[in-house]
Amino acid sequence: GGQSLFRSQFASGRLSNLLKPDVTTKTFTLTPVTSGVPEYFRARRGPYTPAEKAGKHMFFTSTHWKVERIIAVSMLGIMPAALFIQTPAMEFVFTTTVFMHAFWSLDHVLSDYVQKFFPPIHYLWYAISIVAFAGLMNFNFNDVGLFKAIEMFWKL
């Protein structure tokens, strides 16, 4: 059955017709989806300001990404170690790494989604973050500390 069908198509030249490119295809031009979107709402792609273009900003993006990865990977060892080593120094390291990880994560979300509509959001976010970090450090060194607070929470 199948071999005779193949032979008949091959012998009659129909197979060669199947392999020929279709000359009736139409060509068309793709326009970007953002062509109707105002410039204000378009995604910004890297370096944004003249200072950034000149390389006069504080932290290169690639270096910042590496530091974020180092913090994230170091948390894999810090979190289990924090269960067994409950000292003020370990509380400082644990609190700082978790806070910086969360800070950068939310900072990226704000940069991607909120900054277009409310440009001064970073000033507000930095002020909130400074106060929150100072409060955590105060809680760690002048109160029971983060580890003891988590332990007390789990005893509820």
Side-chain angles (χ1 to χ4, degrees):
Q3 288 181 341
S4 63
L5 177 64
F6 178 74
R7 285 185 191 150
S8 65
Q9 286 183 349
F10 187 73
S12 67
R14 284 190 231 160
L15 186 61
S16 63
N17 287 340
L18 291 174
L19 298 176
K20 287 182 183 176
D22 187 9
V23 293
T24 61
T25 58
K26 297 179 182 177
T27 59
F28 58 93
T29 313
L30 291 174
T31 56
V33 177
T34 59
S35 61
V37 178
E39 183 65 33
Y40 181 75
F41 293 108
R42 289 191 184 170
R44 294 173 54 193
R45 292 191 173 97
Y48 310 122
T49 64
E52 289 174 334
K53 288 179 183 177
K56 295 180 181 176
H57 51 287
M58 291 175 31
F59 214 27
F60 288 111
T61 306
S62 61
T63 307
H64 183 72
W65 188 87
K66 289 174 190 171
V67 171
E68 284 181 0
R69 297 306 79 140
I70 290 168
I71 293 286
V73 170
S74 70
M75 287 172 59
L76 293 172
I78 291 171
M79 286 188 170
L83 295 171
F84 303 107
I85 307 168
Q86 296 187 356
T87 63
M90 190 61 177
E91 284 198 15
F92 174 77
V93 170
F94 176 79
T95 305
T96 303
T97 55
V98 170
F99 185 83
M100 288 306 297
H101 184 71
F103 169 80
W104 282 325
S105 299
L106 192 55
D107 189 50
H108 292 310
V109 170
L110 294 174
S111 295
D112 290 343
Y113 300 108
V114 180
Q115 188 177 10
K116 294 177 190 176
F117 305 107
F118 186 64
I121 189 66
H122 287 289
Y123 298 117
L124 180 63
W125 174 235
Y126 293 155
I128 290 169
S129 298
I130 290 168
V131 170
F133 188 69
L136 278 171
M137 289 298 110
N138 184 40
F139 184 74
N140 271 347
F141 294 110
N142 296 327
D143 204 344
V144 294
L146 191 61
F147 296 150
K148 188 67 175 173
I150 293 171
E151 184 181 316
M152 291 166 54
F153 177 76
W154 279 104
K155 284 184 180 179
L156 289 176

